[in-house]
């Protein structure tokens, strides 16, 4: 079934997302993709994106968090890549600073 | 009909102000991580109450606060999933047949208006993320949650509250989404 058979594809989707984020100019350090729900009827992926700490690398930050336009652009890239590669699943992005 | 003005004691804006206070630096020391966790939970509830409030307003108008308890977390989540999968202009036609009649109808409605807006597509994704983070904040006792993550989530929740308190909720794509929230409840 879709979700189970494509467990190996998560790494490939992660690579695709990472390259799309870099094309969009995002300072992405690491991307990992895992299942929140692998039931094919309600498939949901967690896309964890590690970014520079917005408090230490101010060019990406604003008021202690990442610039909203950067976050919107990253969400759009993740949404589009997921829809292309795993259209039966939805993705939930999670942005975390380097070091947690 | 209820008499007088009903007060909202879980006002989304106040919940978000509370969340922001919990993340503000306090003197020279770091705030306890429990503050970050409570802030993330409050951020999610601020966004959730705003979205369900907008759906209840559409359904019950002046009685929205009395009707809102019919709406649920899973309804907000399920409606968002449908928008993500069938709302984009480029979403594939789900096909025909009785098993896909509902989603085909939904896809057709979105196609007729040129697809769900980027704002709505982002909003349902932000709601999903807030829900996942709230679950992590309230139940995951092992992994840490940074104040930077907390601040990002509170900013996201503020955007949701601003969006769903605006006239955007009267536009076609938002009305379809809010109707789905009601139907999934």
């Amino acid at each position: 079934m879709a979700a189970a058979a494509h467990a190996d594809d998560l790494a490939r989707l992660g690579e695709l997302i990472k390259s799309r984020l870099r094309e969009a100019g995002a300072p992405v350090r690491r991307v990992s993709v895992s299942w929140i729900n692998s039931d094919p009827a309600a498939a949901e992926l967690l896309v964890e994106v590690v970014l520079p700490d917005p408090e230490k690398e101010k060019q990406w930050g604003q008021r202690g968090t990442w610039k909203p336009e950067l976050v919107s652009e990253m969400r759009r890239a993740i949404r589009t890549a997921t829809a292309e590669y795993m259209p039966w699943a939805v993705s939930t992005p999670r942005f975390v600073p380097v070091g947690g | 009909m209820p008499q007088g003005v009903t007060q909202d004691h879980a006002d989304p804006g106040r919940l978000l102000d509370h969340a922001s206070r919990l993340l503000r630096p306090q003197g020279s020391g770091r705030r306890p991580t429990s503050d970050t966790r409570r802030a993330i939970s409050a951020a999610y509830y601020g966004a959730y109450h705003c979205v369900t409030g907008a759906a209840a307003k559409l359904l019950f108008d002046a009685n929205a606060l009395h009707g809102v308890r019919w709406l649920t977390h899973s309804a907000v989540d399920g409606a968002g999933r449908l928008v993500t999968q069938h709302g984009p202009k480029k979403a594939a036609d789900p096909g025909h047949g009785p098993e896909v009649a509902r989603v085909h109808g939904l896809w057709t409605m979105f196609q007729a208006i040129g697809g769900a807006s980027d704002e709505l597509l982002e909003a349902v994704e932000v709601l999903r993320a807030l829900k996942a983070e709230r679950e992590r904040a309230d139940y995951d006792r092992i992994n840490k949650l940074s104040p930077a993550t907390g601040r990002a989530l509170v900013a996201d929740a503020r955007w949701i509250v601003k969006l769903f308190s605006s006239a955007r909720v009267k536009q076609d794509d938002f009305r379809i989404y809010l109707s789905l929230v009601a139907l999934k409840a």
Side-chain angles (χ1 to χ4, degrees):
Chain A
M1 208 40 235
H6 290 270
D8 287 348
D9 286 341
L10 296 185
R12 268 176 248 148
L13 176 60
E15 285 304 312
L16 176 64
I17 288 171
K18 198 200 288 185
S19 71
R20 294 283 175 85
L21 290 174
R22 288 195 168 145
E23 279 168 26
V28 55
R29 300 289 162 85
R30 199 174 69 244
V31 173
S32 63
V33 182
S34 57
W35 291 113
I36 292 176
N37 188 349
S38 62
D39 174 355
E44 184 174 345
L45 297 161
L46 175 69
V47 178
E48 199 163 68
V49 180
V50 178
L51 297 165
D53 187 329
E55 290 184 274
K56 291 179 185 156
E57 296 191 41
K58 304 278 186 196
Q59 72 269 37
W60 309 112
Q62 181 180 302
R63 289 193 287 273
T65 185
W66 298 286
K67 289 181 177 171
E69 57 273 21
L70 169 69
V71 172
S72 278
E73 195 56 50
M74 289 192 293
R75 285 202 184 105
R76 190 176 300 114
I78 293 167
R79 187 162 63 238
T80 307
T82 306
E84 284 172 23
Y85 200 74
M86 290 191 182
W88 62 89
V90 297
S91 56
T92 298
R94 177 167 201 257
F95 304 112
V96 290
V98 171
Chain B
M1 296 287 279
Q3 298 297 306
V5 178
T6 307
Q7 270 198 307
D8 184 359
H9 293 287
D11 175 71
R14 287 188 185 172
L15 286 172
L16 296 185
D17 288 345
H18 171 64
S20 293
R21 278 197 300 276
L22 287 170
L23 292 168
R24 217 167 278 150
Q26 208 175 32
S28 55
R30 290 179 78 94
R31 294 190 74 125
T33 54
S34 55
D35 283 357
T36 302
R37 288 173 181 271
R38 300 312 308 144
I40 291 170
S41 191
Y44 167 70
Y45 277 102
Y48 171 79
H49 286 316
C50 188
V51 171
T52 52
K57 183 98 177 83
L58 186 69
L59 293 164
F60 307 114
D61 198 23
N63 290 311
L65 281 177
H66 297 284
V68 75
R69 290 295 292 274
W70 283 91
L71 305 172
T72 63
H73 298 271
S74 61
V76 172
D77 200 41
R81 166 184 294 276
L82 288 169
V83 169
T84 299
Q85 291 192 301
H86 306 293
K89 193 169 191 286
K90 289 182 179 172
D93 182 345
H96 297 272
E99 73 283 2
V100 289
R102 287 180 175 189
V103 290
H104 184 267
L106 180 62
W107 175 82
T108 304
M109 282 192 283
F110 276 120
Q111 289 297 307
I113 58 170
S117 61
D118 268 358
E119 267 179 323
L120 179 61
L121 291 170
E122 184 166 357
V124 296
E125 207 167 276
V126 167
L127 284 163
R128 246 194 326 270
L130 283 165
K131 183 169 181 281
E133 296 295 345
R134 177 257 152 181
E135 280 163 14
R136 193 186 297 261
D138 285 337
Y139 298 111
D140 178 351
R141 297 166 65 174
I142 297 167
N143 292 301
K144 64 181 181 180
L145 289 163
S146 72
T149 300
R151 277 190 287 274
L153 293 167
V154 173
D156 284 346
R158 280 198 190 280
W159 177 70
I160 291 285
V161 169
K162 192 174 170 192
L163 189 60
F164 281 85
S165 304
S166 76
R168 282 293 277 120
V169 295
K170 292 183 179 161
Q171 291 180 354
D172 289 342
D173 57 342
F174 277 72
R175 287 175 71 92
I176 293 172
Y177 167 63
L178 293 172
S179 301
L180 286 171
V181 170
L183 289 167
K184 296 288 273 181

